[in-house]
Amino acid sequence: DGGITQSPKYLFRKEGQNVTLSCEQNLNHDAMYWYRQDPGQGLRLIYYSQIVNDFQKGDIAEGYSVSREKKESFPLTVTSAQKNPTAFYLCASSIIQGGFTEAFFGQGTRLTVV
Amino acid sequence: GQQVMQIPQYQHVQEGEDFTTYCNSSTTLSNIQWYKQRPGGHPVFLIQLVKSGEVKKQKRLTFQFGEAKKNSSLHITATQTTDVGTYFCAGNQGAQKLVFGQGTRLTINP
């Protein structure tokens, strides 16, 4: 059953702690993305990756880090430098060929700082 | 950097009324996509437009891509309660960087 999986669904973090959000896809997609969504807001791009071992900053990369060691995996670490991390985090993937770039989203991780 | 602006931010209609959301980019886009996010859910792809002036229809939904490939619109005819959600446009400038608009949240009075 192909798809994109994010875990955990809910995550609670104490202030000052780093936390890593998982994103795995078995769609054989080259591109992967991380977005942040705040209540009633749109999707803001954090990081994206087009190929293994390479990634680019999006519009709000400060306080976040990523890695792309495998094609299937694109974990996001929310560091203590991110001052307002409480949000809904969405991971997505898409193909890179023929100009068609439909993005498939995971179910999201809701992160709360306590 | 590339910016995608979407209006209105909110729209409330009576069931059966039409609905339109507009999307504008600061740069020329190679394509534009539309997504729908139901309350509590994740965005789901609706359609992609690639050609200048392109118009596509999906039942009651009509999507347009501007001649300059900088703007787009989504029009829903005779809304139904199942249309409730937030509609996002997303622009691709060719670098595989998918930038989303702020979304238009549609609520419907039955």
Side-chain angles (χ1 to χ4, degrees):
Chain A
D1 189 20
I4 180 164
T5 303
Q6 289 185 243
S7 62
K9 189 172 182 180
Y10 298 97
L11 188 57
F12 296 89
R13 187 194 94 171
K14 292 182 179 179
E15 284 192 31
Q17 284 184 339
N18 292 354
V19 63
T20 298
L21 282 58
S22 170
C23 179
E24 303 278 334
Q25 54 99 0
N26 59 5
L27 301 166
N28 199 34
H29 286 173
D30 293 301
M32 296 189 74
Y33 313 83
W34 275 104
Y35 293 92
R36 168 179 172 145
Q37 186 173 34
D38 293 283
Q41 300 295 312
L43 282 69
R44 291 186 289 169
L45 183 62
I46 305 173
Y47 270 98
Y48 65 107
S49 168
Q50 300 180 43
I51 194 170
V52 173
N53 292 324
D54 188 42
F55 47 83
Q56 287 77 41
K57 292 183 179 180
D59 300 317
I60 56 165
E62 186 174 352
Y64 300 97
S65 66
V66 293
S67 62
R68 188 87 187 274
E69 297 177 0
K70 298 186 300 181
K71 188 176 185 178
E72 303 80 16
S73 179
F74 192 41
L76 173 74
T77 297
V78 185
T79 75
S80 56
Q82 172 49 238
K83 298 305 178 188
N84 186 22
T86 295
F88 187 48
Y89 291 88
L90 285 158
C91 179
S93 69
S94 69
I95 59 171
I96 304 180
Q97 62 182 36
F100 293 97
T101 56
E102 171 188 353
F104 291 81
F105 282 84
Q107 299 291 325
T109 293
R110 198 167 296 278
L111 173 64
T112 303
V113 173
V114 296
Chain B
Q2 178 186 343
Q3 290 188 339
V4 178
M5 307 298 292
Q6 196 173 346
I7 57 169
Q9 189 174 1
Y10 303 98
Q11 185 78 57
H12 180 77
V13 301
Q14 288 289 128
E15 188 175 13
E17 290 183 340
D18 292 357
F19 159 77
T20 305
T21 174
Y22 300 91
C23 185
N24 290 285
S25 171
S26 57
T27 59
T28 301
L29 301 169
S30 55
N31 61 63
I32 195 157
Q33 301 170 17
W34 285 92
Y35 293 78
K36 178 182 179 181
Q37 184 178 24
R38 294 183 185 276
H42 60 278
V44 175
F45 176 83
L46 294 175
I47 206 161
Q48 176 171 277
L49 304 171
V50 179
K51 299 177 182 176
S52 169
E54 188 171 14
V55 178
K56 287 189 175 180
K57 292 189 176 184
Q58 288 181 349
K59 297 183 180 178
R60 295 178 294 105
L61 278 63
T62 302
F63 304 85
Q64 292 187 318
F65 201 11
E67 293 290 340
K69 300 183 75 173
K70 285 189 173 183
N71 57 74
S72 181
S73 65
L74 158 60
H75 179 81
I76 302 179
T77 303
T79 54
Q80 300 175 359
T81 54
T82 53
D83 296 326
V84 164
T86 301
Y87 292 85
F88 293 97
C89 62
N92 187 296
Q93 206 180 1
Q96 210 62 26
K97 180 183 177 182
L98 199 57
V99 177
F100 281 76
Q102 299 94 325
T104 296
R105 184 178 174 189
L106 173 64
T107 54
I108 298 173
N109 207 21

